[in-house]
Amino acid sequence: MFTSVIIPAAGFGERMGATIGKQFLLLNEKPILVHTLERFQSCDDINEIIVATQRSSFPIIEEIRKKYSLSKLKAPVEGGERRQDSVAKALKCVDAESEIISVHDAVRPFVRRKEITQSIETAKYFGASVVAVRAKDTMKQASTDGRVEKTLNRSSLWSVQTPQTFQRKILIEAYEFAFKNNIVATDDSYLVEQIGVLPIIIEGSYENIKITTPDDLLLAELLVKRFMP
Ligand code: CTP
Ligand code: MG
């Protein structure tokens, strides 16, 4: 089944506070984005990779494609104001044959092959899947003024990551529904949940971090030394 992966990489990395987007920062002498792209390039279940990025970064993407022999990487798509807009734009550019679409953050270079393939297999049969890890900390719900309202049942709580994978029809319908109803989310599965599809959780790894702040970069430098895809 033809499978596409959309990699949103159009963010400015405000919380990282670097002079360039964090997806282009080097990790072991290679841009973080390249580590991520290599995970999907080497996965036989993936047929095409679509990166959404700022127009000014298009030449970098072209350069990366040649330098790292990323044959599955298609022409870049211009990103939008929010992550959701970037994914929506990329969604319009997936191959006409594509039946399964994965979405994976450019800044999660430590995704494992098993997570990608399980996510795809599950979406084929159940419509939607999300990679997630069990919450480690006890989670409390608090009011806006910081007073604890209740303690949540940790055994039912998950921290959701990417990849998140969907049957094409479901993801397109979810994005159209969100657009019409002004629904905003930082996670694709939330949009799918709004049209009544409940994604299946794939238990992933705590190493699949989203590099967000400078302390994540320190951790990534340790992880990259021993990472086994
Ligand atoms: N992203 C995107 N388009 C946007 C915003 C984010 O494609 N308009 C991408 C980022 O490049 C990143 C992923 O979505 O790969 C997850 O977003 P996040 O970690 O929030 O990255 P940034 O938005 O770059 O960081 P910040 O929120 O700190 O500015
Ligand atoms: Mg952001």
Side-chain angles (χ1 to χ4, degrees), residues 11-13 15 22 83 210:
F12 288 93
R15 287 169 287 177
K22 61 190 178 173
R83 180 187 185 280
K210 180 164 77 68

Side-chain angles (χ1 to χ4, degrees), residues 7-16 21-23 52-53 79-87 104-108 210-212:
I7 311 274
F12 288 93
E14 277 167 25
R15 287 169 287 177
M16 182 62 74
K22 61 190 178 173
Q23 58 275 30
T53 193
E81 198 184 323
R82 301 162 301 186
R83 180 187 185 280
Q84 182 177 334
D85 305 312
S86 299
V87 175
H104 184 74
D105 293 319
V107 289
R108 287 190 193 269
K210 180 164 77 68
I211 300 175
T212 306

Side-chain angles (χ1 to χ4, degrees), residues 44-220:
D44 290 340
D45 292 331
I46 296 290
N47 299 98
E48 66 166 359
I49 305 172
I50 298 168
V51 169
T53 193
Q54 292 150 34
R55 190 164 282 276
S56 58
S57 304
F58 281 13
I60 306 176
I61 303 293
E62 296 299 340
E63 206 177 292
I64 279 173
R65 187 217 315 272
K66 286 190 208 119
K67 183 166 177 192
Y68 298 96
S69 307
L70 298 166
S71 58
K72 296 179 185 173
L73 184 59
K74 300 284 143 138
V77 173
E78 188 172 15
E81 198 184 323
R82 301 162 301 186
R83 180 187 185 280
Q84 182 177 334
D85 305 312
S86 299
V87 175
K89 287 186 170 188
L91 203 46
K92 293 203 166 72
C93 300
V94 295
D95 194 283
E97 267 184 67
S98 184
E99 286 179 71
I100 299 288
I101 303 174
S102 249
V103 185
H104 184 74
D105 293 319
V107 289
R108 287 190 193 269
F110 304 117
V111 60
R112 293 203 172 97
R113 176 168 309 185
K114 198 173 87 177
E115 290 152 7
I116 300 172
T117 55
Q118 284 184 359
S119 175
I120 290 169
E121 285 309 310
T122 306
K124 275 183 193 165
Y125 295 102
F126 297 99
S129 73
V130 297
V131 173
V133 286
R134 290 180 186 280
K136 282 188 192 178
D137 296 318
T138 296
M139 307 289 255
K140 302 211 186 246
Q141 184 179 310
S143 60
T144 45
D145 61 355
R147 188 176 291 270
V148 171
E149 287 171 343
K150 65 174 170 182
T151 298
L152 303 171
N153 177 7
R154 195 181 61 201
S155 64
S156 68
L157 294 173
W158 295 81
S159 292
V160 174
Q161 308 170 335
T162 65
Q164 301 190 354
T165 308
F166 312 91
Q167 290 173 5
R168 178 200 185 108
K169 274 190 289 183
I170 290 176
L171 190 60
I172 289 179
E173 188 190 331
Y175 266 80
E176 282 171 357
F177 184 81
F179 185 74
K180 280 191 199 122
N181 296 284
N182 288 319
I183 300 170
V184 177
T186 52
D187 146 279
D188 308 284
S189 90
Y190 179 79
L191 302 183
V192 162
E193 290 157 38
Q194 303 315 301
I195 59 162
V197 176
L198 299 182
I200 307 284
I201 287 181
I202 311 289
E203 187 158 10
S205 139
Y206 292 104
E207 293 188 359
N208 183 21
I209 58 167
K210 180 164 77 68
I211 300 175
T212 306
T213 51
D215 55 315
D216 294 323
L217 202 54
L218 285 177
L219 181 55

